[in-house]
Every structure is written in C-alpha cells, then in structure tokens.
Amino acid sequence: DAKTTQPPSMDCAEGRAANLPCNHSTISGNEYVYWYRQIHSQGPQYIIHGLKNNETNEMASLIITEDRKSSTLILPHATLRDTAVYYCIVKTGANSKLTFGKGITLSVRP
Amino acid sequence: KAGVTQTPRYLIKTRGQQVTLSCSPISGHRSVSWYQQTPGQGLQFLFEYFSETQRNKGNFPGRFSGRQFSNSRSEMNVSTLELGDSALYLCASSLAGRATGYGYTFGSGTRLTVV
C-alpha cells in the first residue's frame, strides 16, 4: 500500500471549516483513500473513503486531486468534539489491513 | 445496532502469564481484525480473520495468536507476557474486510497492563 504524509498538527476555530491535507504521491490506480479519526482513548472511527471522485457524507467531504497524489478531508463546521487524531490511509481491496501512520492532530478551539 | 464489543475493558497481568482477549463483531460482519496501539509504535496490525481463517498477519512474534469462531466472534491470545506488551488492543469488524468500499468499525479496546 502507498504511504501517506500528513502534517503533525493543525488547529481551527469552532464553527469554521477544518481542511486536513494528505499527500499520497505513490498511490496506485486500485488504491482507495480512507480517513479515520481517533478521539482520545477510543477506537478509531471510520469517516469516509474514495477512489477518484469527491465524496461527501454526513460527517465530512473528501476532495481528491485529479492526479490522485493528494487529498483533503473537510469538516464543514468543526466542533470541539472533532478534536482528535485524523488518519489518512491508502489501501487496496486485496489487502485487508489498515496501515496507520502518525496522523494529524486536529485541535478545535472555542 | 450494537457495535463491536471487546472484553474485558481493562486487564492487569504479570510478566510470564498469558492473556485472552475477546471481540464480538457487529452482527453480520464476517471479518475481524486486531490491532495493537502503543505510544511508541502507534497503531499496528496484528492479524485478520475471515470465516474462521486467518487471512493476513502482521509482524508480531508467535506469542500473539488468534482465532475466530463460527459465529464470527474472535479471541486473541498473548502468551508469556512481556512488559512491552502493555498496550491498547483494538478489534475491528467489517462486512468483507478485504473488499474496498467497506469501512472498519472499531471497538473501544482492551487496555492491557503488564507488571
């Protein structure tokens, strides 16, 4: 599976959009981009995934660049409860494991 | 619907002992994966079971083993515990696991402390 690179941390104001970047320059054509988050001392929570089209669900939006070398997770109206570590993962269907990096720590400030 | 249930939530064991952790997946989910999380190494994949068969294995010593039952419930066992085995052990279930398009649902984990 391709590796991902995320900045270690970022913060945003409550109510504003949080845009979390992820680089995956070695992604191959059959690899999907997944985002999970982990709130302190809880298990990771699935957020969203996509292949090449932008995706949106009730939690977030995922924007994948046309060359698929990077993506951005967007939390449209961040709340204090969105403070967590966010993991960007690329994965093929042939491999069942999730390879977690260090993730990005998002701090939402009041 | 009920989420992924892991028992026990907390466990304290002595070096040299063995431990068994349990995971009940979401009803209908046939894939169960196990992960170890430590401050130093982060989240690391242990193994994955699908239909009672180990389908993938991470880079852990043979002291770490697991199994899956016909009802998809899974257990993992760690023998001859070492201090470094102290960690949060997480279980995740998925409809198919390997196929893309399905997310994994994680349990809250078992916090193991080896003294």
Side-chain angles (χ1 to χ4, degrees):
Chain A
D1 293 332
K3 289 189 176 180
T4 63
T5 304
Q6 301 176 259
S9 63
M10 67 175 290
D11 63 14
C12 76
E14 190 176 19
R16 304 297 295 270
N19 298 311
L20 286 70
C22 179
N23 285 321
H24 31 80
S25 58
T26 60
I27 192 170
S28 58
N30 62 344
E31 288 182 313
Y32 283 66
V33 180
Y34 284 78
W35 282 83
Y36 284 77
R37 73 179 182 185
Q38 187 174 25
I39 296 170
H40 183 63
S41 296
Q42 297 182 20
Q45 177 189 23
Y46 165 80
I47 301 173
I48 198 168
H49 75 278
L51 181 62
K52 51 185 176 182
N53 297 322
N54 298 337
E55 302 287 346
T56 295
N57 63 20
E58 64 278 4
M59 289 183 68
S61 294
L62 174 61
I63 309 298
I64 303 174
T65 58
E66 193 168 341
D67 63 8
R68 305 212 320 124
K69 293 183 184 302
S70 66
S71 60
T72 301
L73 178 74
I74 301 173
L75 307 179
H77 305 287
T79 71
L80 298 178
R81 286 175 293 183
D82 291 323
T83 292
V85 179
Y86 288 77
Y87 298 96
C88 169
I89 299 165
V90 295
K91 188 178 93 66
T92 65
N95 189 347
S96 53
K97 72 177 183 180
L98 296 170
T99 301
F100 290 87
K102 295 187 184 302
I104 176 173
T105 299
L106 173 66
S107 300
V108 180
R109 60 181 187 275
Chain B
K1 58 182 177 181
V4 177
T5 303
Q6 291 189 247
T7 56
R9 288 296 310 277
Y10 302 92
L11 205 51
I12 299 176
K13 289 287 188 177
T14 304
R15 271 183 303 176
Q17 287 186 312
Q18 74 165 13
V19 66
T20 299
L21 312 181
S22 178
C23 172
S24 293
I26 290 174
S27 177
H29 284 194
R30 296 168 62 193
S31 165
V32 174
S33 302
W34 289 89
Y35 291 79
Q36 180 197 65
Q37 186 172 29
T38 59
Q41 299 297 319
L43 277 154
Q44 293 186 286
F45 173 79
L46 279 157
F47 27 65
E48 186 232 358
Y49 287 87
F50 181 82
S51 294
E52 302 178 66
T53 301
Q54 188 181 86
R55 195 161 65 172
N56 202 348
K57 188 176 189 304
N59 188 26
F60 278 81
R63 299 186 297 108
F64 292 82
S65 63
R67 59 177 176 171
Q68 187 180 32
F69 302 96
S70 58
N71 61 358
S72 293
R73 190 177 70 85
S74 177
E75 290 181 345
M76 69 163 282
N77 183 276
V78 188
S79 62
T80 320
L81 283 165
E82 301 176 359
L83 295 179
D85 297 331
S86 294
L88 179 66
Y89 289 88
L90 291 156
C91 165
S93 78
S94 172
L95 272 172
R98 181 171 293 179
T100 52
Y102 297 103
Y104 290 79
T105 302
F106 283 80
S108 297
T110 294
R111 173 76 61 185
L112 171 66
T113 302
V114 182
V115 297

